[in-house]
């Protein structure tokens, strides 16, 4: 009996340990290093090689101007000529420049039509410079476009399409030409920023880091934790060790409600004081049965329509008032609401009523 009890305690201990480990998150999943981020790039260019699905030069003056400017740089003058080609299109090119990208690295780009092109399928993007918010060129893009869409049209004007043929991507279509200049190796101090600001979580992050590397972390507020690398370790190596430390995240008590789609999301910290809940649906049905009233033969009078209405009231039975105990957990609250047999939309009204009664210890956010 004692051996069996010891075995059960061991299994319970292992299960409890596994649960606690699963409840923890790595620092890298809840925080980011300040300054280590991607940068948005944008450019304007031309796509050629389209099978008659490009821009109409009469309706797209900027496409005509771009064509004239490009051909002039290549030694061909077409200004004043009656160009009616529909095999090219003006597009915008966008890309994300990852942090620490070096010259020569390849990144993906997205292209989108600017005028009345029908499809970019089969087109080739000509050399296009991609600029950052500071106006500097950080990458150059060129390549064949893949739209992943299908479209077709008939002579009568009927058409069918699947996907968006006027937008596409070029895998590894841009070459990085310039670095962003963020030098982490020369920094004596970096700051971690929590994705969901919380004072408790910030203090836990600083405490976990100081437990492994004493005196290296300080929580400045509910969002920022300042880090200073130990003398024997570089900043990149220090961050690689810090971001894998486990942390128990503290989340506020909040209820998110999407009334349009009938979606409710409640955090584990939501608590309810003692409250009694009753819910029932009242259905009023009105049915119109118009009848015709006409006089007897050879008598005075006229035929008229007389309205006749049948009104019935139905109320769902079996709905009892249920008491939800004080300080109840999220699981108990959900079970209590489910016991009432309410729909998600009715549950939204109940939660708002509980909040109005002062019995819901949580913030309600309506999307």
């Amino acid at each position: 009996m004692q051996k069996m009890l010891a075995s059960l305690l061991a299994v319970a201990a292992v299960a409890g340990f596994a649960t606690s480990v699963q409840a923890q998150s790595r620092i890298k999943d809840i925080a980011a290093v300040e300054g280590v981020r991607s940068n948005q790039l944008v450019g304007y260019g031309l796509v050629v090689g389209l099978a008659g699905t490009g821009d109409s030069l009469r309706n797209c003056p900027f496409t005509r101007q771009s064509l004239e400017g490009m051909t002039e740089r290549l030694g061909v003058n077409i200004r004043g000529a009656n160009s009616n080609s529909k095999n090219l299109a003006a597009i915008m090119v966008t890309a994300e420049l990852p942090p620490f990208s070096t010259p020569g690295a390849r990144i993906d780009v997205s292209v989108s039509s600017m005028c009345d092109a029908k499809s970019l399928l089969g087109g080739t993007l000509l050399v296009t410079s991609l600029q950052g918010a500071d106006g500097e060129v950080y990458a150059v893009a060129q390549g064949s476009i893949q739209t992943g869409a299908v479209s077709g049209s008939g002579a009568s004007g009927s058409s069918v399409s699947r996907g968006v043929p006027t937008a596409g991507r070029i895998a590894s279509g841009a070459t990085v030409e310039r670095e962003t200049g963020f030098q982490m190796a020369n920094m004596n101090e970096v700051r971690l920023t929590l994705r969901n600001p919380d004072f408790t979580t910030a203090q836990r992050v600083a405490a976990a880091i100081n437990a492994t590397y004493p005196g290296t972390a300080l929580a400045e507020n509910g969002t920022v934790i300042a880090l200073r690398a130990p003398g024997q370790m570089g900043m990149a190596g220090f961050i690689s060790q810090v971001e894998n430390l486990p942390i128990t995240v503290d989340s506020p008590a909040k209820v998110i409600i999407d009334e349009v789609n009938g979606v409710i999301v409640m955090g584990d910290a939501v608590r309810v004081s003692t409250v009694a809940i009753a819910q029932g649906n009242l259905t009023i049905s009105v049915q119109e049965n118009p009848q015709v009233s006409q006089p007897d033969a050879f008598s005075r009078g006229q035929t008229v329509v007389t309205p006749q209405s049948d009104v019935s009231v139905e109320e769902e039975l079996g709905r009892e008032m249920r008491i939800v105990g004080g300080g109840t957990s999220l699981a108990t609250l959900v079970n209590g609401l489910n016991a009432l047999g309410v729909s998600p939309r009715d549950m939204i009204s109940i939660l708002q009523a509980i909040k109005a009664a002062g019995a819901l210890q949580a913030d309600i956010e309506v999307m």
Side-chain angles (χ1 to χ4, degrees), residues 295-326:
D296 296 333
F298 305 106
S299 63
R300 296 180 179 179
Q302 59 182 354
T303 302
V304 297
V305 177
T306 59
Q308 182 176 353
S309 301
D310 294 331
V311 181
S312 61
V313 178
E314 296 181 0
E315 185 174 6
E316 294 187 12
L317 302 178
R319 301 297 177 90
E320 302 175 353
M321 178 170 288
R322 295 181 178 271
I323 298 178
V324 179

Short mmCIF file of all heavy atoms in Angstrom, two decimals, residues 295-326:
data_model
loop_
_atom_site.label_atom_id
_atom_site.label_comp_id
_atom_site.label_asym_id
_atom_site.label_seq_id
_atom_site.Cartn_x
_atom_site.Cartn_y
_atom_site.Cartn_z
N PRO A 295 -71.45 39.79 -49.64
CA PRO A 295 -72.90 39.71 -49.32
C PRO A 295 -73.55 38.53 -50.02
O PRO A 295 -72.97 37.92 -50.91
CB PRO A 295 -73.43 41.04 -49.84
CG PRO A 295 -72.48 41.40 -50.95
CD PRO A 295 -71.13 40.90 -50.51
N ASP A 296 -74.79 38.22 -49.55
CA ASP A 296 -75.55 37.15 -50.19
C ASP A 296 -76.00 37.57 -51.59
O ASP A 296 -75.92 38.74 -51.98
CB ASP A 296 -76.78 36.80 -49.34
CG ASP A 296 -76.36 36.24 -47.99
OD1 ASP A 296 -75.24 35.66 -47.92
OD2 ASP A 296 -77.13 36.38 -47.02
N ALA A 297 -76.51 36.62 -52.34
CA ALA A 297 -76.97 36.91 -53.70
C ALA A 297 -78.13 37.90 -53.69
O ALA A 297 -79.04 37.80 -52.85
CB ALA A 297 -77.37 35.61 -54.40
N PHE A 298 -78.14 38.81 -54.68
CA PHE A 298 -79.17 39.81 -54.87
C PHE A 298 -79.36 40.72 -53.65
O PHE A 298 -80.44 41.24 -53.41
CB PHE A 298 -80.53 39.16 -55.23
CG PHE A 298 -80.45 38.25 -56.42
CD1 PHE A 298 -80.49 36.86 -56.23
CD2 PHE A 298 -80.32 38.76 -57.70
CE1 PHE A 298 -80.40 36.02 -57.33
CE2 PHE A 298 -80.25 37.90 -58.79
CZ PHE A 298 -80.28 36.53 -58.61
N SER A 299 -78.32 40.86 -52.81
CA SER A 299 -78.42 41.74 -51.63
C SER A 299 -77.46 42.91 -51.81
O SER A 299 -76.53 42.86 -52.60
CB SER A 299 -78.09 40.98 -50.35
OG SER A 299 -76.74 40.53 -50.38
N ARG A 300 -77.75 43.95 -51.07
CA ARG A 300 -76.88 45.12 -51.13
C ARG A 300 -75.60 44.88 -50.32
O ARG A 300 -75.59 44.16 -49.35
CB ARG A 300 -77.61 46.35 -50.62
CG ARG A 300 -78.82 46.75 -51.45
CD ARG A 300 -79.48 47.98 -50.86
NE ARG A 300 -80.62 48.39 -51.67
CZ ARG A 300 -81.39 49.43 -51.38
NH1 ARG A 300 -81.14 50.17 -50.30
NH2 ARG A 300 -82.42 49.73 -52.17
N GLY A 301 -74.56 45.54 -50.72
CA GLY A 301 -73.27 45.39 -50.04
C GLY A 301 -72.14 45.21 -51.03
O GLY A 301 -72.37 45.21 -52.25
N GLN A 302 -70.92 45.01 -50.52
CA GLN A 302 -69.76 44.83 -51.38
C GLN A 302 -68.80 43.84 -50.73
O GLN A 302 -68.82 43.62 -49.52
CB GLN A 302 -69.06 46.17 -51.64
CG GLN A 302 -68.59 46.86 -50.36
CD GLN A 302 -67.96 48.20 -50.65
OE1 GLN A 302 -67.78 48.57 -51.81
NE2 GLN A 302 -67.60 48.93 -49.61
N THR A 303 -67.99 43.28 -51.60
CA THR A 303 -67.01 42.30 -51.13
C THR A 303 -65.80 43.02 -50.53
O THR A 303 -65.23 43.92 -51.16
CB THR A 303 -66.55 41.41 -52.30
OG1 THR A 303 -67.70 40.77 -52.88
CG2 THR A 303 -65.55 40.38 -51.82
N VAL A 304 -65.42 42.64 -49.32
CA VAL A 304 -64.28 43.26 -48.64
C VAL A 304 -63.40 42.17 -48.04
O VAL A 304 -63.84 41.03 -47.84
CB VAL A 304 -64.73 44.23 -47.52
CG1 VAL A 304 -65.53 45.39 -48.11
CG2 VAL A 304 -65.56 43.48 -46.48
N VAL A 305 -62.14 42.54 -47.76
CA VAL A 305 -61.19 41.65 -47.11
C VAL A 305 -61.13 42.00 -45.63
O VAL A 305 -60.87 43.15 -45.25
CB VAL A 305 -59.79 41.76 -47.74
CG1 VAL A 305 -58.80 40.88 -47.01
CG2 VAL A 305 -59.85 41.40 -49.22
N THR A 306 -61.42 41.02 -44.78
CA THR A 306 -61.40 41.24 -43.33
C THR A 306 -60.12 40.62 -42.74
O THR A 306 -59.84 39.44 -42.95
CB THR A 306 -62.61 40.62 -42.66
OG1 THR A 306 -62.62 39.22 -42.94
CG2 THR A 306 -63.90 41.24 -43.21
N PRO A 307 -59.32 41.40 -42.04
CA PRO A 307 -58.09 40.86 -41.45
C PRO A 307 -58.39 39.97 -40.24
O PRO A 307 -59.36 40.21 -39.50
CB PRO A 307 -57.31 42.11 -41.03
CG PRO A 307 -58.37 43.15 -40.81
CD PRO A 307 -59.49 42.84 -41.77
N GLN A 308 -57.60 38.95 -40.07
CA GLN A 308 -57.71 38.06 -38.92
C GLN A 308 -56.30 37.69 -38.48
O GLN A 308 -55.53 37.13 -39.27
CB GLN A 308 -58.51 36.80 -39.27
CG GLN A 308 -58.68 35.86 -38.08
CD GLN A 308 -59.55 34.67 -38.41
OE1 GLN A 308 -60.13 34.61 -39.48
NE2 GLN A 308 -59.65 33.73 -37.49
N SER A 309 -55.95 38.01 -37.25
CA SER A 309 -54.60 37.80 -36.73
C SER A 309 -54.63 36.80 -35.59
O SER A 309 -55.49 36.87 -34.71
CB SER A 309 -53.99 39.12 -36.26
OG SER A 309 -53.94 40.06 -37.31
N ASP A 310 -53.66 35.87 -35.61
CA ASP A 310 -53.47 34.92 -34.53
C ASP A 310 -52.14 35.23 -33.85
O ASP A 310 -51.07 35.16 -34.47
CB ASP A 310 -53.45 33.48 -35.06
CG ASP A 310 -54.79 33.08 -35.65
OD1 ASP A 310 -55.81 33.62 -35.18
OD2 ASP A 310 -54.81 32.23 -36.58
N VAL A 311 -52.21 35.61 -32.59
CA VAL A 311 -51.02 35.98 -31.82
C VAL A 311 -50.77 34.91 -30.77
O VAL A 311 -51.69 34.55 -30.00
CB VAL A 311 -51.18 37.36 -31.16
CG1 VAL A 311 -49.93 37.73 -30.39
CG2 VAL A 311 -51.49 38.42 -32.21
N SER A 312 -49.55 34.38 -30.74
CA SER A 312 -49.19 33.38 -29.74
C SER A 312 -47.88 33.76 -29.08
O SER A 312 -47.01 34.38 -29.69
CB SER A 312 -49.05 31.99 -30.40
OG SER A 312 -48.03 32.00 -31.38
N VAL A 313 -47.75 33.41 -27.82
CA VAL A 313 -46.55 33.72 -27.04
C VAL A 313 -45.99 32.41 -26.51
O VAL A 313 -46.71 31.62 -25.88
CB VAL A 313 -46.88 34.68 -25.87
CG1 VAL A 313 -45.63 34.94 -25.05
CG2 VAL A 313 -47.46 35.98 -26.40
N GLU A 314 -44.71 32.17 -26.79
CA GLU A 314 -44.04 30.96 -26.31
C GLU A 314 -42.80 31.36 -25.51
O GLU A 314 -42.04 32.22 -25.93
CB GLU A 314 -43.61 30.08 -27.50
CG GLU A 314 -44.78 29.55 -28.32
CD GLU A 314 -44.30 28.68 -29.46
OE1 GLU A 314 -43.07 28.51 -29.57
OE2 GLU A 314 -45.15 28.20 -30.23
N GLU A 315 -42.65 30.73 -24.38
CA GLU A 315 -41.48 30.98 -23.55
C GLU A 315 -40.79 29.66 -23.28
O GLU A 315 -41.43 28.67 -22.94
CB GLU A 315 -41.89 31.64 -22.23
CG GLU A 315 -40.69 32.02 -21.37
CD GLU A 315 -41.11 32.80 -20.14
OE1 GLU A 315 -42.32 32.94 -19.90
OE2 GLU A 315 -40.22 33.28 -19.42
N GLU A 316 -39.46 29.65 -23.47
CA GLU A 316 -38.71 28.43 -23.25
C GLU A 316 -38.77 28.03 -21.78
O GLU A 316 -38.62 28.86 -20.88
CB GLU A 316 -37.25 28.62 -23.67
CG GLU A 316 -37.09 28.84 -25.16
CD GLU A 316 -35.65 28.86 -25.57
OE1 GLU A 316 -34.81 28.49 -24.72
OE2 GLU A 316 -35.35 29.25 -26.69
N LEU A 317 -39.02 26.74 -21.56
CA LEU A 317 -39.12 26.23 -20.19
C LEU A 317 -37.81 25.53 -19.81
O LEU A 317 -36.96 25.24 -20.63
CB LEU A 317 -40.30 25.25 -20.09
CG LEU A 317 -41.67 25.83 -20.47
CD1 LEU A 317 -42.73 24.74 -20.38
CD2 LEU A 317 -42.02 27.02 -19.57
N GLY A 318 -37.68 25.24 -18.56
CA GLY A 318 -36.51 24.51 -18.09
C GLY A 318 -35.33 25.40 -17.78
O GLY A 318 -34.25 24.92 -17.49
N ARG A 319 -35.50 26.74 -17.88
CA ARG A 319 -34.43 27.67 -17.57
C ARG A 319 -34.54 28.04 -16.10
O ARG A 319 -35.47 28.74 -15.69
CB ARG A 319 -34.49 28.91 -18.46
CG ARG A 319 -34.39 28.59 -19.94
CD ARG A 319 -33.03 27.94 -20.26
NE ARG A 319 -32.94 27.56 -21.65
CZ ARG A 319 -32.48 28.36 -22.60
NH1 ARG A 319 -32.09 29.57 -22.29
NH2 ARG A 319 -32.42 27.94 -23.84
N GLU A 320 -33.63 27.60 -15.29
CA GLU A 320 -33.67 27.87 -13.86
C GLU A 320 -32.63 28.92 -13.51
O GLU A 320 -31.63 29.09 -14.20
CB GLU A 320 -33.40 26.59 -13.06
CG GLU A 320 -34.39 25.46 -13.35
CD GLU A 320 -33.99 24.19 -12.62
OE1 GLU A 320 -32.89 24.19 -12.03
OE2 GLU A 320 -34.76 23.23 -12.65
N MET A 321 -32.86 29.65 -12.44
CA MET A 321 -31.87 30.60 -11.94
C MET A 321 -30.75 29.81 -11.28
O MET A 321 -30.98 28.95 -10.43
CB MET A 321 -32.51 31.57 -10.95
CG MET A 321 -31.52 32.55 -10.36
SD MET A 321 -32.32 33.86 -9.42
CE MET A 321 -33.05 34.83 -10.74
N ARG A 322 -29.54 30.09 -11.67
CA ARG A 322 -28.38 29.39 -11.14
C ARG A 322 -27.47 30.38 -10.44
O ARG A 322 -27.30 31.52 -10.88
CB ARG A 322 -27.61 28.66 -12.25
CG ARG A 322 -28.42 27.54 -12.89
CD ARG A 322 -27.65 26.82 -13.96
NE ARG A 322 -28.43 25.74 -14.53
CZ ARG A 322 -28.44 24.50 -14.07
NH1 ARG A 322 -27.69 24.18 -13.02
NH2 ARG A 322 -29.18 23.57 -14.64
N ILE A 323 -26.85 29.94 -9.37
CA ILE A 323 -25.98 30.77 -8.56
C ILE A 323 -24.54 30.40 -8.88
O ILE A 323 -24.15 29.23 -8.82
CB ILE A 323 -26.26 30.59 -7.06
CG1 ILE A 323 -27.70 31.04 -6.74
CG2 ILE A 323 -25.26 31.39 -6.23
CD1 ILE A 323 -28.07 30.85 -5.29
N VAL A 324 -23.76 31.42 -9.21
CA VAL A 324 -22.34 31.23 -9.43
C VAL A 324 -21.62 31.75 -8.20
O VAL A 324 -21.78 32.90 -7.81
CB VAL A 324 -21.87 31.99 -10.70
CG1 VAL A 324 -20.38 31.82 -10.91
CG2 VAL A 324 -22.65 31.51 -11.91
N GLY A 325 -20.83 30.89 -7.56
CA GLY A 325 -20.19 31.22 -6.29
C GLY A 325 -19.17 32.33 -6.42
O GLY A 325 -18.62 32.60 -7.48
N GLY A 326 -18.90 33.01 -5.30
CA GLY A 326 -17.94 34.10 -5.28
C GLY A 326 -16.52 33.62 -5.52
O GLY A 326 -16.12 32.54 -5.07
#
